[in-house]
């Protein structure tokens, strides 16, 4: 196999995802939704956004239905189960009364969500009373404890998988803040004790229990009566719990379709401080572009993913080649042979991943030096003992002296210089906001930085500069249009949202696409505020003077004409006219010449060619 020199030295990490995420095994979640189906969930209502009354059962089901649809895109590897308690019918492996595990054929009780599950669950309210039924499983003078049974069933469902490689969670929806309140004191204490012990047993196995309480319009859910002990809240957590839960319910009802990536190690880096001294670092990707995802080819008969296999066949004998393929490069009338391992060694620029070169003041690092999303570095003692201590000492010194480290980053990736900026820990009342560590910023090459004045100046003519008044008016306009507390995460990609909406419609056989909000469009209401309009007019007047409207229109037309003239300059129309090759051009290309020379654009292609020939012959 002959070598292509450009192919040999191309970057191995062409895929934008591979340079951030090298680990194939992603952590996943096992989730069990527990929904209270007692009569109180159907009788209690609260107003919705359109002022209609919705039952608490409807709110819980709609939240889960929306969450299931988002799961397909957000975390497609997660596995979920849906379980109702306080039901008339029972369906669970433990054969416990009052607990019904909802599922569809050809699917395990806890598994990845399927289109069939989502479609059937969307219709659950229509058939729930008839097929499953509702009843209160916790009544006075009764030893039936459906909440205990539901926790037992959920814990059994979550035996699947290891808690070391997956997060296990139970989401509990209910509007009953005191499930044992109507019982005698002795029975209540006994049932409370056993239920709390069942919850504690689940938590000891690494299962977290999250409560999503539904409050009545005239009475707020009182978590202090029972559930604070079940989920383990105390002190300030009690006062902060209800507001945070309200936001969580809103998020579940109005989730964006976006891929949620687990916080895991993207790459392991050996940081060489000097000869003989190196430490181990873990790299984490902070930000990455969102893409629709890779295409998976399926077999038309079985609908299973196709496994691609490649075999090399000898051109002379037709036999399948068993030995590893070697590549050749012609050199001085000889074929030099390379193995895949030798080519990999040729590409290596440096033996170490990261080598320290020195330190510079933080003032030397500019905003425009950040070429692409940075990588967060944190020490690890897994392979090199003492890495954390050395990292902490270096980290503290860099913060105290106001320095950043300059390092060479090589290996199989394109070599470049990077800046290591120490980040101190930031804490608030709620806990840690930002962890301590270092941000690895990829520095530009000299050719990556362009001189603006050099690009916009002509020989012997100084580059145009804005006056003080123009700078003042521009600053005032920017302040008026500045977004408060801006974050890139506030805006969804409308193209991706529509892509996911189309996939959902195809998978669920939906007749209509869900509405996609384009949050990137200008805020017309905000742009029409008097203060903004005034700032825009003052800025235009400072640039164009009193005739700002005419100047801006004529300026736009002049720019358009010059751009089309430049496009027309790509062809030698005089030569094309002489050789009779104008007919080979498209109508659009012919019109670029006509527009650049202020000639009419009407007529068919033959008329356009004759008009160009007449103009060229002058």
């Amino acid at each position: 196999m002959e070598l292509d020199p450009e192919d040999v030295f191309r970057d191995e990490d062409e895929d934008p995802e591979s340079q951030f995420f090298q680990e194939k095994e992603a952590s996943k979640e096992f989730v069990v939704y527990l929904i209270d189906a007692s009569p109180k969930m159907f009788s209690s209502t609260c107003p919705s956004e359109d002022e209609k009354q919705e039952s608490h059962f409807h709110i819980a089901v709609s939240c889960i239905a929306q969450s299931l649809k988002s799961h397909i895109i957000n975390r497609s590897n997660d596995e979920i189960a849906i379980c109702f308690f306080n039901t008339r019918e029972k369906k669970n492996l433990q054969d416990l009364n009052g607990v019904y595990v909802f599922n569809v054929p050809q699917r395990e009780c806890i598994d990845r969500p399927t289109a069939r599950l989502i479609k059937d669950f969307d219709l659950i309210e229509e058939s729930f009373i008839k097929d499953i039924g509702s009843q209160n499983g916790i009544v006075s003078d009764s030893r039936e404890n459906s909440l205990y049974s539901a926790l037992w069933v959920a814990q059994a469902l979550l035996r699947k998988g290891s808690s070391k490689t997956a997060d296990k969670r139970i989401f509990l929806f209910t509007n009953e803040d005191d499930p044992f309140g109507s019982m005698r004191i002795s029975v209540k204490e006994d049932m409370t004790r056993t239920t709390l012990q069942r919850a504690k047993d689940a938590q000891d196995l690494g299962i977290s229990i999250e409560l999503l309480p539904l409050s009545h319009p005239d009475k707020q859910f009182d978590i202090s009566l029972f559930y604070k002990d079940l989920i383990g809240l105390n002190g300030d957590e009690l006062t902060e719990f209800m507001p945070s839960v309200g936001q969580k319910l809103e998020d579940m009802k109005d989730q964006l379709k976006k891929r949620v990536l687990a916080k895991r190690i993207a790459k392991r880096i050996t940081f060489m401080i000097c000869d003989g001294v190196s430490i181990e670092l873990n790299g984490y990707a902070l930000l990455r572009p969102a893409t629709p995802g890779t295409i998976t080819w399926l077999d038309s008969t079985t609908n299973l993913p196709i496994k691609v296999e490649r075999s090399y066949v000898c051109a002379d004998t037709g036999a399948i080649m068993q030995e590893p393929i070697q590549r050749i490069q012609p050199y001085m009338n000889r074929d030099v042979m390379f193995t895949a391992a030798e080519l990999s060694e040729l590409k290596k620029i440096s033996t170490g991943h990261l080598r320290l070169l020195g330190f510079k003041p933080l003032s030397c690092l500019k905003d425009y030096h950040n070429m692409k999303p940075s990588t967060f570095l944190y020490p690890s003692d897994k392979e090199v003992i003492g890495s954390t201590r050395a990292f902490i000492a270096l980290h503290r010194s860099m913060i105290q002296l106001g320095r950043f480290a300059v390092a060479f980053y090589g290996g199989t990736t394109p070599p470049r210089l990077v800046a290591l900026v120490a980040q101190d820990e930031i804490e608030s009342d709620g806990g840690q906001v930002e962890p301590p560590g270092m941000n690895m910023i990829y520095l530009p090459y000299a050719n990556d930085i362009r001189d603006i004045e050099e690009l916009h100046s002509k020989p012997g003519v100084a580059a145009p500069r804005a006056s003080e008044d123009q700078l003042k008016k521009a600053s005032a306009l920017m302040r008026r249009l500045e977004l408060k507390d801006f974050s890139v995460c506030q805006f969804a990609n409308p193209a991706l949202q529509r892509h996911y909406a189309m996939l959902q419609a195809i998978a669920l056989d939906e007749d209509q696409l869900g509405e996609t909000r384009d949050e990137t469009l200008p805020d017309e209401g905000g742009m029409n505020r008097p203060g903004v309009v005034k700032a825009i007019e003052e800025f235009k007047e400072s640039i164009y003077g009193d005739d700002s409207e005419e100047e801006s229109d004529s300026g736009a037309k002049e720019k358009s004409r010059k751009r089309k003239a430049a496009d027309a300059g790509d062809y030698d129309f005089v030569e094309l006219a002489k050789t009779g090759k104008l007919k080979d051009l498209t109508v659009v290309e012919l019109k670029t010449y006509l527009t650049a020379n202020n000639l009419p654009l009407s007529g068919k292609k033959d008329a356009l060619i004759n008009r160009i020939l007449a103009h060229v012959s002058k």
Side-chain angles (χ1 to χ4, degrees), residues 222-423:
D222 190 355
I223 192 174
S224 62
L225 295 177
F226 171 75
Y227 281 101
K228 71 177 181 66
D229 296 322
L230 186 137
I231 60 178
L233 294 180
N234 49 41
D236 296 337
E237 296 175 338
L238 283 174
T239 57
E240 297 174 358
F241 179 77
M242 290 305 294
S244 64
V245 164
Q247 184 61 46
K248 186 179 295 185
L249 280 171
E250 289 297 322
D251 291 342
M252 289 187 71
K253 287 193 292 184
D254 188 24
Q255 289 189 79
L256 281 176
K257 296 178 177 65
K258 60 183 179 180
R259 292 177 64 194
V260 177
L261 301 167
K263 297 177 182 177
R264 63 185 188 274
I265 300 170
K267 57 184 73 174
R268 302 186 189 277
I269 300 173
T270 300
F271 184 22
M272 302 179 67
I273 299 177
C274 61
D275 292 338
V277 178
S278 60
I279 62 177
E280 182 186 4
L281 302 177
N282 289 334
Y284 299 85
L286 301 180
L287 191 67
R288 59 176 294 190
T291 56
T294 57
I295 296 174
T296 302
W297 296 99
L298 304 177
D299 184 88
S300 59
T301 305
T302 62
N303 205 37
L304 296 175
I306 295 175
K307 182 180 179 181
V308 179
E309 295 182 353
R310 179 185 298 175
S311 299
Y312 291 97
V313 179
C314 179
D316 298 329
T317 63
I320 297 178
M321 302 180 65
Q322 302 295 334
E323 297 183 2
I325 300 298
Q326 289 189 318
R327 295 160 176 83
I328 61 172
Q329 174 64 33
Y331 180 73
M332 295 182 65
N333 299 324
R334 293 180 58 190
D335 290 337
V336 182
M337 303 183 68
F338 295 92
T339 63
E342 289 172 338
L343 284 176
S344 179
E345 287 296 322
L346 284 174
K347 295 180 184 181
K348 288 187 178 179
I349 307 298
S350 172
T351 55
H353 286 282
L354 192 64
R355 179 182 290 274
L356 179 64
L357 300 179
F359 300 91
K360 281 193 172 186
L362 286 172
S363 58
C364 296
L365 191 63
K366 306 300 181 183
D367 291 340
Y368 56 83
H369 287 163
N370 195 2
M371 294 294 293
K372 63 178 184 178
S374 60
T375 300
F376 185 74
L377 302 179
Y378 201 78
S380 171
D381 288 334
K382 187 174 181 179
E383 298 292 340
V384 182
I385 305 300
S387 294
T388 302
R389 288 188 177 184
F391 184 87
I392 291 174
L394 182 62
H395 179 270
R396 288 178 178 174
S397 299
M398 289 168 63
I399 291 178
Q400 292 173 359
L401 299 175
R403 298 284 193 274
F404 72 91
V406 181
F408 174 82
Y409 185 58
T412 58
T413 59
R416 65 189 314 141
L417 295 181
V418 295
L420 306 181
V421 182
Q423 171 182 299

Side-chain angles (χ1 to χ4, degrees), residues 5-290:
E6 294 184 0
D7 183 66
V8 172
F9 292 100
R10 78 179 190 276
D11 299 339
E12 290 185 349
D13 297 328
E14 287 182 351
D15 184 1
E17 297 193 7
S18 65
Q19 61 179 318
F20 292 120
F21 294 92
Q22 296 177 354
E23 294 185 353
K24 295 183 179 179
E25 287 296 328
S27 61
K28 60 193 300 186
E29 282 190 350
F30 292 92
V31 179
V32 175
Y33 294 103
L34 285 183
I35 308 116
D36 187 356
S38 65
K40 193 174 180 181
M41 287 285 287
F42 293 87
S43 60
S44 302
T45 60
C46 58
S48 62
E49 293 182 356
D50 54 0
E51 300 303 325
K52 293 182 180 180
Q53 294 294 322
E54 295 179 340
S55 69
H56 284 170
F57 185 82
H58 171 78
I59 293 173
V61 167
S62 61
C63 285
I64 296 172
Q66 183 59 43
S67 180
L68 290 178
K69 294 174 183 177
S70 300
H71 253 84
I72 299 294
I73 298 163
N74 296 359
R75 306 178 62 93
S76 59
N77 290 324
D78 291 355
E79 300 187 15
I80 64 101
I82 302 172
C83 181
F84 297 98
F85 65 99
N86 285 328
T87 59
R88 182 186 69 242
E89 304 294 330
K90 62 178 179 179
K91 183 183 176 183
N92 56 83
L93 295 178
Q94 291 74 21
D95 198 31
L96 299 173
N97 291 328
V99 181
Y100 190 95
V101 178
F102 179 81
N103 201 9
V104 294
Q106 298 180 349
R107 181 182 179 274
E108 295 183 19
C109 291
I110 182 166
D111 203 347
R112 296 171 63 178
T114 62
R116 173 77 180 275
L117 177 72
I118 296 172
K119 290 168 66 176
D120 288 4
F121 189 74
D122 275 339
L123 305 174
I124 188 67
E125 287 185 84
E126 301 175 7
S127 59
F128 185 84
I129 297 299
K130 177 183 176 182
D131 297 337
I132 302 175
S134 169
Q135 70 179 21
N136 199 334
I138 304 175
V139 294
S140 181
D141 299 326
S142 171
R143 284 290 177 176
E144 290 289 340
N145 186 346
S146 56
L147 178 57
Y148 175 91
S149 301
L151 292 173
W152 186 358
V153 170
Q155 180 179 330
L157 289 170
L158 292 172
R159 288 175 183 168
K160 184 178 181 180
S162 172
S163 58
K164 295 181 180 180
T165 59
D167 295 328
K168 300 184 178 183
R169 306 166 74 184
I170 298 175
F171 285 99
L172 176 61
F173 293 82
T174 184
N175 62 356
E176 178 57 76
D177 52 10
D178 191 9
F180 310 114
S182 61
M183 296 185 171
R184 297 195 310 270
I185 294 178
S186 58
V187 178
K188 178 180 179 180
E189 289 179 350
D190 181 50
M191 286 201 168
T192 300
R193 177 181 55 79
T194 55
T195 305
L196 293 180
Q197 184 60 46
R198 171 58 62 188
K200 184 177 182 302
D201 292 343
Q203 291 165 345
D204 290 342
L205 294 174
I207 302 172
S208 64
I209 302 176
E210 298 188 27
L211 176 68
L212 293 164
L214 301 165
S215 298
H216 299 273
D218 55 346
K219 179 188 175 185
Q220 189 177 27
F221 192 97
D222 190 355
I223 192 174
S224 62
L225 295 177
F226 171 75
Y227 281 101
K228 71 177 181 66
D229 296 322
L230 186 137
I231 60 178
L233 294 180
N234 49 41
D236 296 337
E237 296 175 338
L238 283 174
T239 57
E240 297 174 358
F241 179 77
M242 290 305 294
S244 64
V245 164
Q247 184 61 46
K248 186 179 295 185
L249 280 171
E250 289 297 322
D251 291 342
M252 289 187 71
K253 287 193 292 184
D254 188 24
Q255 289 189 79
L256 281 176
K257 296 178 177 65
K258 60 183 179 180
R259 292 177 64 194
V260 177
L261 301 167
K263 297 177 182 177
R264 63 185 188 274
I265 300 170
K267 57 184 73 174
R268 302 186 189 277
I269 300 173
T270 300
F271 184 22
M272 302 179 67
I273 299 177
C274 61
D275 292 338
V277 178
S278 60
I279 62 177
E280 182 186 4
L281 302 177
N282 289 334
Y284 299 85
L286 301 180
L287 191 67
R288 59 176 294 190

Side-chain angles (χ1 to χ4, degrees), residues 437-449:
M438 291 187 188
N439 290 294
M440 184 166 70
I441 298 173
Y442 301 88
L443 298 176
Y445 290 100
N447 290 339
D448 291 330
I449 302 176

Side-chain angles (χ1 to χ4, degrees), residues 457-480:
S457 61
K458 298 179 181 179
V461 181
R465 287 183 173 275
S467 64
E468 290 294 330
D469 181 64
Q470 291 172 342
L471 291 174
K472 183 179 178 181
K473 295 295 192 299
S475 299
L477 176 60
M478 291 174 64
R479 285 195 297 271
R480 283 287 183 182

Side-chain angles (χ1 to χ4, degrees), residues 503-558:
L503 292 181
Q504 176 179 310
I506 294 171
L508 303 182
D509 295 329
E510 297 175 346
D511 297 332
Q512 295 180 346
L513 288 178
E515 183 182 356
T516 301
R517 292 183 301 171
D518 190 349
E519 299 173 335
T520 63
L521 295 175
D523 180 9
E524 295 184 4
M527 295 291 288
N528 291 328
R529 294 199 308 267
V532 176
V533 173
K534 181 181 178 182
I536 293 175
E537 292 300 326
E538 288 179 351
F539 174 70
K540 289 167 62 178
E541 184 179 350
S542 68
I543 300 297
Y544 302 110
D546 296 334
D547 301 329
S548 59
E549 293 294 336
E550 292 78 1
E551 285 289 336
S552 59
D553 292 342
S554 62
K557 291 178 181 178
E558 180 65 17

